[in-house]
Amino acid sequence: MAALLTALVVVLAMAVALVAPNWSGSGIGQLPVSTPSATQPAQANPSTSSQRAVAQSQTTASEAQSKGVVLITTQTTSGAAAGSGMVLSSDGYVLTNYHVVETSTRITATVASTNKQYTATVVGRDATNDVALLKLDGASGLDTVTIDSDTVNTGDQVTAVGNSSGQGYLSAATGQVVSTSSSITVQNETSASQTETLTNVYETSTQAVPGDSGGPMFDAENEVMGITTAGETQTNSRTGQSSTVSSYAIPIARAMSIVKQIESGQSSGTVQVGPKAYLGVTVQASQSGSVTISQVVSDGPAAAAGLSVGQVITAVDGTRIDSQATLSSVLAQHKPGDKVSVTVSSGYGGGTQTASLTLGTSPIN
């Protein structure tokens, strides 16, 4: 009897969790059944089975395909992860997916063609469109990728290049454009909401894998037409092995418009420039919708305002807080140094209090 296959779509954060969950440390990301999901960061030490899967669908990237591409590794709040990025300027501005660096506390980028490493900082991000702009500290004289300006059509030949499975070198996966206007809902463990929806993205037949997230989707002329972002997989129910059947890419024109806004230095709409604002607490969300403080950082804004473990955050600046995603969304509208009011209750019918505090600078991207 033929083995059963289950279709799954994963947000390619195509970042691979190096020490963290899912995909045996290397995968396109989490896959909701029949729904594209954000690919997760690749694990630092991919398993033999995941390396074998990569070998079946990918080849080593050529010198031309490696030009201007970086291998990204991050330290995160839950371990380590890996992804890819593209050099936009000789002084080290790099384009990648936000999910590749989301929740990171340290980012390292290695130039694929020279193996030179740089510490990177997040200049700005657009979580809704899954785009981030990084700056490599002290970089100069770097080769850059070439941005495509041609119209993308169904049937065009494309190649996804990236740090597949966090292997530490670049691989390439070829295919064709299947659709120029797909919409997908992806699972993304690094996001507070756990999912994200991307609209009008390119669907391709390339077999990208986790770790490829943030890397270039090249056209036939080795010009970047998109950012590899998510993948759809099929899982063999007998062997448990998964293989990518479709990969999704954010159009490069959209990404570059976001980069331009970040470079202007002005946060607007879904684009945020600079570090995140910070309450200085760790919270635990319940199924009932309450958000309870589980840890207060010493000398942080919350500690200075007298907030304590066990209190339930019910509102920030008058906005009702009913989930961790809502709290993150409210804080995303602020920058470090902003003053906000935080309303908390003691839970179980306890009284409420409202404290005024000044938001700090988050150590987490």
Side-chain angles (χ1 to χ4, degrees):
M1 184 193 311
L4 298 178
L5 294 176
T6 301
L8 299 171
V9 181
V10 188
V11 165
L12 280 179
M14 280 225 157
V16 180
L18 302 179
V19 186
N22 295 328
W23 273 78
S24 302
S26 71
I28 294 186
Q30 307 153 310
L31 316 180
V33 176
S34 298
T35 306
S37 71
T39 60
Q40 298 309 308
Q43 293 177 339
N45 301 303
S47 65
T48 300
S49 61
S50 68
Q51 290 175 320
R52 187 183 304 116
V54 170
Q56 291 174 347
S57 62
Q58 301 194 330
T59 60
T60 300
S62 67
E63 181 177 349
Q65 292 168 336
S66 302
K67 180 181 177 182
V69 182
V70 297
L71 314 170
I72 295 175
T73 57
T74 65
Q75 294 297 315
T76 72
T77 52
S78 59
S84 308
M86 296 170 274
V87 180
L88 299 180
S89 66
S90 61
D91 58 349
Y93 281 93
V94 169
L95 173 64
T96 188
N97 286 131
Y98 178 53
H99 76 251
V100 169
V101 297
E102 188 172 10
T103 76
S104 64
T105 55
R106 180 178 174 82
I107 306 168
T108 301
T110 302
V111 177
S113 59
T114 64
N115 285 324
K116 187 168 183 179
Q117 290 189 347
Y118 297 90
T119 297
T121 56
V122 177
V123 179
R125 64 208 173 274
D126 184 334
T128 300
N129 287 292
D130 202 5
V131 170
L133 182 65
L134 314 181
K135 178 65 172 67
L136 309 188
D137 297 346
S140 64
L142 301 184
D143 287 334
T144 63
V145 294
T146 300
I147 302 300
D148 180 43
S149 59
D150 299 328
T151 300
V152 175
N153 298 302
T154 301
D156 285 354
Q157 296 292 319
V158 292
T159 303
V161 172
N163 185 18
S164 306
S165 300
Q167 63 195 359
Y169 60 91
L170 297 179
S171 289
T174 59
Q176 293 183 327
V177 175
V178 176
S179 170
T180 58
S181 58
S182 291
S183 294
I184 56 174
T185 298
V186 300
Q187 292 180 352
N188 181 3
E189 287 188 343
T190 59
S191 169
S193 64
Q194 301 293 296
T195 63
E196 57 183 302
T197 298
L198 300 173
T199 60
N200 294 319
V201 295
Y202 300 139
E203 179 182 354
T204 77
S205 61
T206 59
Q207 293 183 287
V209 298
D212 289 339
S213 282
M217 184 76 75
F218 287 119
D219 65 9
E221 299 174 323
N222 279 334
E223 295 179 344
V224 181
M225 49 74 74
I227 308 173
T228 304
T229 301
E232 181 176 1
T233 68
Q234 284 186 335
T235 301
N236 187 307
S237 62
R238 287 183 177 176
T239 66
Q241 290 189 332
S242 298
S243 60
T244 305
V245 294
S246 297
S247 299
Y248 299 86
I250 296 169
I252 194 63
R254 183 189 311 167
M256 292 305 293
S257 69
I258 293 169
V259 167
K260 185 176 181 180
Q261 184 173 341
I262 292 173
E263 290 178 334
S264 75
Q266 298 298 314
S267 297
S268 177
T270 58
V271 175
Q272 300 294 316
V273 178
K276 291 180 177 178
Y278 177 59
L279 273 178
V281 298
T282 300
V283 298
Q284 182 73 42
S286 71
Q287 292 184 342
S288 65
S290 63
V291 177
T292 303
I293 298 174
S294 58
Q295 181 181 0
V296 178
V297 178
S298 299
D299 300 324
L307 302 188
S308 59
V309 171
Q311 291 181 319
V312 177
I313 300 176
T314 60
V316 174
D317 274 352
T319 299
R320 180 172 176 267
I321 304 300
D322 55 9
S323 68
Q324 186 172 348
T326 302
L327 178 59
S328 296
S329 177
V330 171
L331 290 177
Q333 299 171 28
H334 293 278
K335 60 182 183 296
D338 284 355
K339 294 193 176 194
V340 299
S341 62
V342 179
T343 302
V344 297
S345 72
S346 298
Y348 303 106
T352 63
Q353 69 179 81
T354 299
S356 177
L357 57 81
T358 300
L359 295 172
T361 299
S362 177
I364 300 173
N365 291 307

